[in-house]
Amino acid sequence: MMVVKLRHVAIFMIATPFQVSATELFELSLEELLNVEVTSVSKQSQALSESPAAIYVISNEDLNRSGVTSIPEALRSVPGLHVAQIDSQKWAISSRGFNGRYNNKLLVLMDGRTLYSPEFSGVYWEVQDTLISDIDRIEIIRGPSAAIWGANAVNGVINIITKHTSQTKGSYAELGTGDYEKGFGAVRYGGSLTNDTTARAYIKGFNRDSLQYQKNDIGSQQQQLLNGVDLKNKWSHHQLGGRLDSKLSKSSEITISSDIYQSRMQHVGHVATLATSAPQHREYFSDKFDADGWNLLAKYKQVKSPNSSYTIQAYYDYANRDDTIFGFETRTFDLDFQHQFLAGQRHNIIWGMGYRRIKDIISPHATITSPSRSDKTQLSSAFLRDEISLVDNALWLSLAARVEHNSYTGIEWQPNARLSWKLDDQHKLWTSVAYAVRTPSRGENDIKIHNITYPVGIIPNIPTPIPVTVAGSKDYDSETLLAYELGYRFAGGASRFIFDSTIFYNDYDKLRGVKRPNPANPTASVFDNSQDGQSYGLELSNQWLVTDGFKLKLNYSYIKSNFSLQQTQNVAAPKNMVSLHADWKFDKNLEFHATWRYVGTTRIIDSLNLTPSVVYKKIASFKGVDMGVNWKINPNIVLSAYGKNLFYGAHIEYEAEQFRIPYRVEPSFFTKVTISY
């Protein structure tokens, strides 16, 4: 019998993912929690403590205790992650800087399905949803993972993983109401179709109220522009879906899942115009629109032998958004293959290939136009990763590389080297050097944007209003990152204390800038790759099981940036972010959760500025407290009450690049009843 000196052998069996109940999770030692398996670092099962990356896991228990009602809310406390609410629907989420409504350096997946929008390489968070109770865990990697996941996994990866259907048998229902959360509900049923096949189906919906703004948050000129405009930003969302898992044989399994959604939203649109009747050549208007879509995913896994397995995954995703300013329709087909095997006694190899085809159609508008209304892009890729055991059970070297061919820039290489060192059972070190690229989106390739209009007098000797435009360019290249990371983990104190830390240095090149190719027309620009910059920082995460029923978490991040003042995207991150979490289980039927957080001052580009130079404004630091109590009336019924953003009053968290209405996040309350049997 061969003795395998590698850490990863979980792939060589067909089984449901490692799961325990919420009650068991709270009773596990923190050291045992570090052994919960994650898959995002290397696309294979791996103990969290052995993962050579800055990874943070939000468990199903964390989601249930905190009372989050959306995926963005769940991400608020992750060290190094900047999460800010813009209005009732919109969020800005980033890792290690570059935040904004259209952040393009964070890859987000759900069960292996990419959630980004090819129009700007970012995520519309308001339509990324599922039943929160069906999420097994959310794995967050800060730092590049492009060698494994491909282009756009530049500053991080968020991987949302739902439960196997064998873990969701029976009936589940929830119903809640509050002041901001006007009403929400969900129903799910799961069961066995045969001895080897389980399935579930769910339906959910919610209605959320508008966030408000205060007049002293904006200037008198903007107040004039907003006079008479309906500033409501209400939001309703309905979604249904399901999943099936079937064990075809002792060594093979298939998964099929699908979701259908429709969101109805209202927000304030802002356009630049040449009309002399419009104050400052700007117009605001209330826009009501729908966003809908559906997806279908199938995944097949086969274990060929005790040291070899492979998976094949395919999905189709349709998204439609009839937003007046930036409406589009996107159709994505993706096919992915990967194979993992052990080579000899010291090599654990995983390799794969992928193909993606995207067709998108952009709705024309006076502000955003494209010479080709419809566009088709293709992406082909292959990757290889070898984890080499250098010293038995002590030192491992991982070498990985991905090559991709995309429709915009051709071939891109993305290598990565990671080293992990187990000093002893309590102390572990890891380090990484990675090169990642952010390939162009359609917005940087062939879209033209009428950004603002200079009134008469801004540029001397020109007696008419001047449109200021920026256009995509066929010559636009990929943005690049060379990143260095060093991490240390400690688990000790009778298995009651965990300390996890990471320091990083990011060197960015060929970032997006603008150039003016025609000196005779200084207000017409095109995107180029003229910018660069650096950032460095520290991320800390501590967990302490004070008693068997009381747990504390403290997360902290510090980041310092060095970028020029001519950037065309928000690059800065809050210098300091802190969150403190307390979970107190009084007894088996009553538990309490509280979170305190602080987000430091950040800087954004002032898109309303009417001068030719780039001007920035600051978003002030803010604090907030979330509190919740869960009371289990009987084994099947739980009553919950939550307060969000308490004690510090209303505050502005972020402003979207185009919309620029400073909505305030206010304290809110809701109650919920959950029934399961």
Side-chain angles (χ1 to χ4, degrees):
M1 178 177 176
M2 181 179 68
V3 178
V4 178
K5 299 180 180 180
L6 296 171
R7 295 181 293 173
H8 312 300
V9 295
I11 59 156
F12 308 133
M13 64 184 74
I14 293 293
T16 59
F18 175 82
Q19 295 194 32
V20 291
S21 70
T23 301
E24 290 171 331
L25 262 173
F26 201 62
E27 293 172 351
L28 284 175
S29 71
L30 295 183
E31 186 175 15
E32 289 174 307
L33 289 179
L34 280 174
N35 291 324
V36 173
E37 292 180 349
V38 297
T39 58
S40 298
V41 176
S42 57
K43 279 196 172 183
Q44 64 185 44
S45 295
Q46 186 176 30
L48 174 62
S49 63
E50 297 176 347
S51 301
I55 185 169
Y56 188 91
V57 175
I58 302 171
S59 69
N60 181 260
E61 178 203 19
D62 295 328
L63 297 171
N64 291 334
R65 289 183 184 277
S66 61
V68 298
T69 56
S70 68
I71 293 171
E73 279 186 273
L75 302 172
R76 277 190 179 276
S77 60
V78 179
L81 218 60
H82 181 201
V83 179
Q85 189 169 4
I86 297 172
D87 63 15
S88 179
Q89 316 128 24
K90 303 178 190 66
W91 292 79
I93 300 177
S94 71
S95 171
R96 299 177 178 176
F98 291 87
N99 207 1
R101 163 70 165 160
Y102 301 109
N103 169 36
N104 53 29
K105 293 177 179 59
L106 183 65
L107 183 65
V108 184
L109 308 106
M110 183 176 294
D111 289 330
R113 177 172 56 88
T114 303
L115 303 183
Y116 89 112
S117 174
E119 286 75 22
F120 66 100
S121 298
V123 176
Y124 283 108
W125 285 99
E126 60 269 29
V127 296
Q128 311 306 333
D129 197 16
T130 191
L131 190 61
I132 298 296
S133 65
D134 286 350
I135 296 176
D136 179 60
R137 64 192 184 276
I138 304 176
E139 300 176 2
I140 303 99
I141 300 175
R142 293 103 58 199
S145 296
I148 297 297
W149 293 104
N152 302 323
V154 177
N155 278 10
V157 175
I158 296 175
N159 194 5
I160 304 158
I161 301 168
T162 62
K163 294 179 180 179
H164 193 280
T165 52
S166 63
Q167 304 297 315
T168 54
K169 294 181 180 179
S171 300
Y172 173 90
E174 64 181 33
L175 185 66
T177 186
D179 48 2
Y180 168 60
E181 303 270 1
K182 305 298 290 184
F184 60 92
V187 176
R188 180 250 291 150
Y189 181 76
S192 297
L193 302 182
T194 68
N195 290 337
D196 297 317
T197 303
T198 53
R200 66 168 175 261
Y202 75 90
I203 184 170
K204 65 173 297 186
F206 59 78
N207 182 22
R208 291 179 185 163
D209 202 1
S210 300
L211 296 187
Q212 307 298 320
Y213 85 102
Q214 295 182 7
K215 287 188 175 181
N216 60 0
D217 292 333
I218 61 177
S220 58
Q221 291 183 334
Q222 193 177 10
Q223 288 185 32
Q224 179 187 5
L225 297 175
L226 292 170
N227 186 33
V229 177
D230 186 353
L231 297 177
K232 293 179 180 178
N233 48 100
K234 295 186 293 185
W235 176 29
S236 63
H237 182 89
H238 303 90
Q239 182 164 320
L240 60 91
R243 170 170 166 166
L244 179 146
D245 294 286
S246 181
K247 198 171 182 179
L248 303 179
S249 67
K250 292 182 179 180
S251 60
S252 62
E253 185 177 34
I254 189 171
T255 298
I256 299 174
S257 64
S258 181
D259 304 280
I260 305 172
Y261 68 86
Q262 182 183 51
S263 273
R264 175 152 293 181
M265 291 171 273
Q266 179 179 356
H267 67 192
V268 177
H270 167 227
V271 296
T273 177
L274 289 172
T276 56
S277 59
Q280 304 176 50
H281 304 286
R282 294 175 180 156
E283 292 181 347
Y284 284 91
F285 60 93
S286 179
D287 188 17
K288 298 179 181 180
F289 65 96
D290 291 336
D292 57 85
W294 62 273
N295 62 78
L296 177 63
L297 179 145
K299 182 176 182 178
Y300 174 78
K301 181 176 181 179
Q302 172 73 56
V303 175
K304 298 294 292 181
S305 69
N307 63 353
S308 176
S309 70
Y310 69 85
T311 60
I312 301 174
Q313 176 181 281
Y315 70 80
Y316 182 86
D317 190 295
Y318 170 83
N320 178 68
R321 190 179 184 92
D322 62 6
D323 188 335
T324 300
I325 296 178
F326 195 19
F328 60 83
E329 178 182 293
T330 303
R331 301 173 183 177
T332 303
F333 171 76
D334 185 277
L335 180 64
D336 182 80
F337 169 84
Q338 67 180 50
H339 177 212
Q340 182 180 357
F341 62 95
L342 301 181
Q345 306 247 339
R346 297 190 177 275
H347 296 268
N348 185 6
I349 296 173
I350 182 170
W351 68 278
M353 299 181 294
Y355 171 77
R356 183 177 301 158
R357 182 180 185 274
I358 301 172
K359 179 180 180 181
D360 63 338
I361 302 173
I362 294 179
S363 303
H365 186 270
T367 298
I368 298 177
T369 58
S370 172
S372 55
R373 184 167 179 260
S374 178
D375 191 23
K376 296 178 183 177
T377 58
Q378 298 184 76
L379 174 69
S380 303
S381 64
F383 79 94
L384 173 67
R385 176 185 180 270
D386 183 9
E387 183 188 66
I388 308 165
S389 177
L390 301 178
V391 178
D392 290 349
N393 200 35
L395 187 64
W396 298 267
L397 173 65
S398 296
L399 300 175
R402 175 179 285 267
V403 58
E404 293 184 339
H405 183 276
N406 67 83
S407 299
Y408 294 134
T409 62
I411 294 177
E412 301 282 3
W413 287 89
Q414 300 178 93
N416 179 209
R418 296 180 184 269
L419 185 69
S420 56
W421 182 18
K422 182 179 178 181
L423 283 71
D424 54 39
D425 289 339
Q426 292 184 333
H427 303 270
K428 297 171 184 176
L429 287 170
W430 63 270
T431 187
S432 170
V433 179
Y435 179 81
V437 303
R438 202 277 295 180
T439 55
S441 66
R442 188 174 177 189
E444 290 139 338
N445 185 259
D446 71 353
I447 289 179
K448 183 178 181 179
I449 303 171
H450 180 184
N451 194 26
I452 60 175
T453 298
Y454 287 160
V456 175
I458 293 291
I459 297 181
N461 303 320
I462 299 182
T464 59
I466 305 170
V468 180
T469 63
V470 60
S473 169
K474 301 294 183 182
D475 296 327
Y476 189 83
D477 203 355
S478 295
E479 300 178 328
T480 67
L481 166 65
L482 182 59
Y484 306 87
E485 296 176 282
L486 176 64
Y488 166 71
R489 291 191 181 99
F490 169 80
S495 300
R496 288 184 173 269
F497 182 76
I498 292 173
F499 175 76
D500 196 350
S501 62
T502 305
I503 58 175
F504 67 91
Y505 179 83
N506 289 346
D507 188 5
Y508 299 92
D509 196 14
K510 299 195 293 186
L511 293 176
R512 188 175 66 206
V514 294
K515 65 178 179 180
R516 298 179 175 89
N518 184 0
N521 186 4
T523 61
S525 303
V526 298
F527 288 124
D528 68 1
N529 299 92
S530 59
Q531 299 299 308
D532 56 24
Q534 300 80 37
S535 64
Y536 58 90
L538 167 71
E539 297 159 349
L540 304 175
S541 179
N542 304 273
Q543 299 189 47
W544 181 25
L545 193 61
V546 183
T547 69
D548 290 340
F550 185 51
K551 181 167 60 177
L552 286 174
K553 294 181 183 179
L554 176 64
N555 297 325
Y556 170 76
S557 63
Y558 169 87
I559 185 170
K560 179 70 174 177
S561 301
N562 179 27
F563 295 94
S564 76
L565 296 179
Q566 302 303 314
Q567 301 288 336
T568 62
Q569 53 191 318
N570 294 322
V571 295
K575 182 178 290 187
N576 296 282
M577 293 185 288
V578 188
S579 65
L580 176 64
H581 310 259
D583 288 308
W584 191 359
K585 190 170 183 179
F586 296 95
D587 56 43
K588 64 180 181 179
N589 297 321
L590 186 64
E591 58 189 29
F592 172 79
H593 171 85
T595 294
W596 175 87
R597 62 178 167 270
Y598 167 82
V599 178
T601 303
T602 190
R603 186 184 68 183
I604 65 171
I605 296 173
D606 187 354
S607 61
L608 298 182
N609 168 55
L610 287 175
T611 63
S613 60
V614 178
V615 176
Y616 293 86
K617 68 172 292 186
K618 289 184 177 181
I619 301 293
S621 63
F622 61 88
K623 306 180 186 74
V625 173
D626 298 340
M627 302 177 69
V629 61
N630 297 306
W631 175 33
K632 185 181 289 187
I633 298 176
N634 61 47
N636 305 112
I637 301 176
V638 178
L639 288 179
S640 305
Y642 295 95
K644 303 287 185 178
N645 301 295
L646 304 177
F647 303 139
Y648 293 96
H651 56 270
I652 299 169
E653 295 189 355
Y654 217 79
E655 296 179 21
E657 290 90 328
Q658 283 185 315
F659 305 96
R660 287 301 312 279
I661 308 297
Y663 289 107
R664 288 178 169 257
V665 177
E666 299 177 324
S668 63
F669 304 87
F670 71 87
T671 58
K672 180 177 73 169
V673 58
T674 302
I675 304 172
S676 57
Y677 55 91

